[in-house]
Amino acid sequence: MAKDVESGREHGSEYSGKDYMDPPPAPLIDMDELRKWSFYRAVIAEFIATLLFLYITVATVIGYKHQSDTKLGNPDALCSGVGVLGISWSFGGMIFILVYCTAGISGGHINPAVTLGLFLARKVSLIRALLYMVAQCLGAICGVGLVKGFQKAFYVRYGGGANELSTDYSRGTGLAAEIIGTFVLVYTVLSATDPKRNARDSHIPVLAPLPIGFAVFMVHLATIPITGTGINPARSFGAAVIYNQDKAWDDHWIFWVGPFIGAAIAAGYHQYILRASGVKAIGSFRGNS
């Protein structure tokens, strides 16, 4: 088992045995970012990644509903298609692919809830977080729009891949499912990208997008029967905008409030409980006083 060498020899507030370096917290507002091409490149990467994510996943949902439609006269319809397991793999697999492709450019957020969690953890500035969220929502709308454009009849007939609260569950249950599901995702993102983990477990080559993709996969298995699985406000918003039926907007607030609450709890838990950022800040203050 790897030994945590963060404590080492202490002299005042310094940890001389610390074998990793935490990046400095991102500034709340960084106007210099607006003058850098790398910033706009990252925003474009978030837009394209979310577009591709929604196109592949919503197309998978529509395809499955068409293949399993008993009204088409196929006696094996209920056993046809990819099923819930395949849909979950579609979402988790696309996140794995897209995070791998864009992590070095934008961080591979592809989700406003993930962006909020990283903002609260001081990993990105407010300006970057807001523009990422706008790009993600626009990308989601365009991605679902492509699905509708390519197969409009099936898209309208099978609900447009929009998130809806199942009639078997209450709003409270749906909200709780979104909070817990997003907590799992954002907690995994923060843990997989933690510089302390990378230093401590450097002998174990863990590809960060892999656990993130698996987190999305597992959450979909658990919550598809409840809400269709949001845990990504851009995914829910893009599908609702293009489908634009009343049932897509009923209880739509759940798919914003739930993920944002879950992301905030995950960021607080990781930063202030697991990483003890608050305790370290107080200790550093006392040591310098």
Side-chain angles (χ1 to χ4, degrees):
M1 186 179 234
K3 183 179 180 181
D4 186 352
V5 297
E6 181 183 5
S7 57
R9 300 185 309 273
E10 297 188 20
H11 297 283
S13 62
E14 296 183 0
Y15 294 81
S16 56
K18 189 173 180 179
D19 67 343
Y20 70 95
M21 183 66 68
D22 280 316
L28 179 61
I29 298 177
D30 187 1
M31 300 303 295
D32 290 340
E33 286 186 315
L34 298 176
R35 295 192 288 269
K36 298 177 181 177
W37 162 243
S38 60
F39 173 72
Y40 296 100
R41 181 181 62 184
V43 172
I44 293 170
E46 287 294 311
F47 170 83
I48 296 298
T50 314
L51 183 154
L52 295 173
F53 176 61
L54 267 293
Y55 172 73
I56 295 297
T57 54
V58 171
T60 302
V61 172
I62 300 300
Y64 163 65
K65 289 186 175 182
H66 173 62
Q67 291 173 320
S68 60
D69 189 351
T70 56
K71 297 178 181 178
L72 298 179
N74 180 6
D76 299 322
L78 293 177
C79 300
S80 301
V82 297
V84 172
L85 184 64
I87 292 173
S88 300
W89 272 120
S90 173
F91 279 87
M94 279 305 293
I95 287 297
F96 169 70
I97 293 168
L98 294 170
V99 171
Y100 179 81
C101 292
T102 61
I105 301 171
S106 66
H109 297 193
I110 322 172
N111 183 337
V114 170
T115 299
L116 176 65
L118 292 173
F119 167 70
L120 294 176
R122 300 295 303 277
K123 306 297 185 183
V124 296
S125 69
L126 178 61
I127 293 175
R128 182 177 291 265
L130 291 176
L131 286 184
Y132 273 19
M133 290 181 187
V134 171
Q136 291 156 359
C137 289
L138 292 177
I141 292 171
C142 293
V144 181
L146 286 177
V147 178
K148 183 176 181 180
F150 292 150
Q151 42 184 328
K152 184 174 182 180
F154 292 158
Y155 178 87
V156 174
R157 182 187 307 168
Y158 298 117
N163 287 122
E164 300 170 14
L165 178 64
S166 174
T167 55
D168 297 328
Y169 297 92
S170 67
R171 290 184 177 90
T173 301
L175 180 63
E178 290 295 309
I179 291 174
I180 296 171
T182 312
F183 175 91
V184 171
L185 171 58
V186 177
Y187 173 41
T188 303
V189 170
L190 291 170
S191 297
T193 59
D194 191 335
K196 180 178 178 180
R197 173 182 293 276
N198 294 337
R200 184 186 60 200
D201 299 335
S202 58
H203 61 290
I204 305 176
V206 177
L207 192 63
L210 185 60
I212 296 171
F214 263 106
V216 172
F217 167 69
M218 296 303 295
V219 171
H220 274 75
L221 287 179
T223 59
I224 281 178
I226 304 173
T227 61
T229 308
I231 68 170
N232 184 337
R235 176 260 185 273
S236 302
F237 181 69
V241 167
I242 299 300
Y243 186 54
N244 200 29
Q245 301 292 323
D246 289 342
K247 62 180 181 179
W249 293 109
D250 291 341
D251 306 315
H252 183 70
W253 61 272
I254 289 175
F255 302 104
W256 285 89
V257 175
F260 280 174
I261 292 176
I265 296 173
Y269 173 65
H270 184 268
Q271 291 298 106
Y272 295 101
I273 303 299
L274 300 186
R275 294 301 306 276
S277 297
V279 174
K280 291 178 182 177
I282 293 174
S284 176
F285 175 77
R286 289 176 175 174
N288 294 329
S289 61

